[in-house]
Amino acid sequence: KKIILGVVYNPTQDKLYYAQKNNGTYLINKNIKPIKLSVSNISTLSQATFLVSRSHLSDEVKNFVKDNEIKQSVSMGSVGVKIGLIAEGKVDAYISFSGKTCQWDTAAPGIVLEEAGGKITDLTGGNFIYNRKELRNLNGVVASNKKIHSLIIKILLKSLNKLDLKLA
């Protein structure tokens, strides 16, 4: 029910991320010696760079970015690649309100992020549990460095309550 080992490969950039519980996260880039990764130190949303889905960009995510004065957001595909970039410290967060991601989208990337010092949860701050009967992550995904994670969750919970959105 918890992930202890993860590997994510980005073939377009020949990047391989890997992590093992309590042993850190590493990147092999174009067959160069593995580099230990660490998330960014950004602590305010206005300084953060957010990744958003290229194919599932929702109005909720657009509004979150606008309402919180986030100056930079980058659209791209692949949850694994997005989370790898957060683990590298190149960007700071990713949010998806969609219930379309599945366990396989967050399992390996999740341990890669956590071992680099980041955090991944659902929109309510709940941890992912794996090997469940329901394969989809119905309550969305929030991945970020630990410094801004609780702030993101706090804002999301307030928004969800205001909008009276029902999560799974």
Side-chain angles (χ1 to χ4, degrees), residues 119-138:
K119 190 157 176 75
I120 184 169
T121 65
D122 66 19
L123 296 170
T124 69
N127 292 321
F128 290 110
I129 298 170
Y130 294 97
N131 292 333
R132 298 175 279 116
K133 191 174 186 175
E134 174 56 67
L135 297 175
R136 294 169 296 163
N137 298 319
L138 295 173

Side-chain angles (χ1 to χ4, degrees), residues 94-96 119-123 140-144 149 152-153 156:
Y94 163 63
I95 297 176
S96 173
K119 190 157 176 75
I120 184 169
T121 65
D122 66 19
L123 296 170
V141 177
V142 177
S144 67
H149 200 87
I152 293 168
I153 296 299
L156 289 171

Side-chain angles (χ1 to χ4, degrees), residues 13-74:
Q13 295 187 346
D14 197 17
K15 287 183 174 184
L16 180 98
Y17 304 92
Y18 66 93
Q20 182 180 9
K21 189 76 173 159
N22 300 320
N23 283 313
T25 293
Y26 295 86
L27 168 65
I28 299 174
N29 191 2
K30 299 182 178 147
N31 297 320
I32 299 171
K33 183 180 172 188
I35 303 164
K36 189 167 187 177
L37 298 181
S38 182
V39 296
S40 73
N41 288 317
I42 294 296
S43 59
T44 62
L45 294 183
S46 63
Q47 295 176 316
T49 298
F50 273 67
L51 292 170
V52 298
S53 176
R54 180 177 58 215
S55 56
H56 303 292
L57 183 57
S58 67
D59 288 339
E60 292 92 352
V61 171
K62 289 177 191 174
N63 291 336
F64 182 91
V65 168
K66 185 182 81 172
D67 294 347
N68 292 288
E69 299 175 6
I70 296 163
K71 297 192 180 21
Q72 284 197 320
S73 66
V74 178

